Amino acid sequence: TTETAMAQTTSSQLSPEQFAAAQEELEQVFPLLQQETAGKAELGVRTLSESSCLRAEIREQQEQTRWEGILRGAPADAAGAGAAVDALVAALQKQGWTVDREANSPDEENGTVREVILHHGGIYATVTYSRSDVEPEHTVEVLAVTGCTDHPHDHQMLRSPLDPQYGTSSQYDPAGA
């Protein structure tokens, strides 16, 4: 499940160099994935930023973070969703990603129909097709996360320029950085 992939990433620390490389990898691969699914499912970037790995009550959220990215779209039908998942997995494999696990539940009416978990260079991605009885009926999503990485106290969390919230700031990430 997605939780399994997320749990795997929390146990694998990345060096500062690997952490920066993961950001670059995600910034390169997200537009490629959007291009590969054009006409099948128009995937939009929901987030591409650092997120804290620490519990909410810990004030120094910036001291342990991971990169997290979400692409999501609503294909018109099951055929479009299946084609989008196939295109996403093929594009990731072409970029050197390895499939760890795939699960299919084609009869699922309200939940995950297909899920593919991949990894590459300290990043785990879960490609999911879900079906629902509410709009949108079909959803395709890519969730990509890195392992959690420790940072110095003065670390500033970053948002990618691809993130819809880029340019907004909080106490943990400066505007536009």
Side-chain angles (χ1 to χ4, degrees):
T1 65
T2 302
E3 292 78 24
T4 305
M6 302 278 269
Q8 289 175 322
T9 64
T10 59
S11 64
S12 57
Q13 283 272 335
L14 299 179
S15 70
E17 296 78 19
Q18 290 171 315
F19 194 75
Q23 175 187 0
E24 291 176 22
E25 170 83 12
L26 290 171
E27 288 177 342
Q28 176 187 15
V29 80
F30 268 34
L32 172 71
L33 295 177
Q34 288 175 300
Q35 181 180 3
E36 290 294 320
T37 57
K40 300 170 190 74
E42 303 305 319
L43 299 182
V45 177
R46 301 298 179 168
T47 187
L48 186 51
S49 63
E50 279 184 72
S51 64
S52 183
C53 298
L54 302 174
R55 293 186 323 266
E57 67 269 14
I58 298 174
R59 292 190 59 192
E60 293 78 24
Q61 293 286 296
Q62 77 283 0
E63 290 185 359
Q64 189 180 73
T65 68
R66 67 178 179 204
W67 273 98
E68 180 176 295
I70 299 173
L71 283 172
R72 188 178 301 139
D77 54 27
V85 170
D86 289 343
L88 290 164
V89 171
L92 288 167
Q93 288 180 305
K94 190 174 179 181
Q95 296 296 311
W97 291 65
T98 302
V99 173
D100 293 326
R101 189 175 68 78
E102 181 168 354
N104 292 295
S105 301
D107 297 330
E108 183 66 46
E109 292 181 23
N110 235 349
T112 302
V113 176
R114 186 170 173 203
E115 180 179 76
V116 183
I117 298 173
L118 307 96
H119 76 276
H120 181 263
I123 307 170
Y124 284 83
T126 304
V127 179
T128 307
Y129 161 37
S130 300
R131 192 168 23 227
S132 173
D133 57 4
V134 296
E135 291 294 323
E137 184 179 351
H138 305 278
T139 303
V140 171
E141 179 179 275
V142 177
L143 168 65
V145 295
T146 66
C148 294
T149 299
D150 293 330
H151 303 286
H153 181 72
D154 63 349
H155 176 72
Q156 301 259 314
M157 292 167 62
L158 301 175
R159 289 186 186 279
S160 167
L162 301 176
D163 187 286
Q165 298 296 314
Y166 182 75
T168 61
S169 63
S170 76
Q171 69 188 78
Y172 302 113
D173 54 70

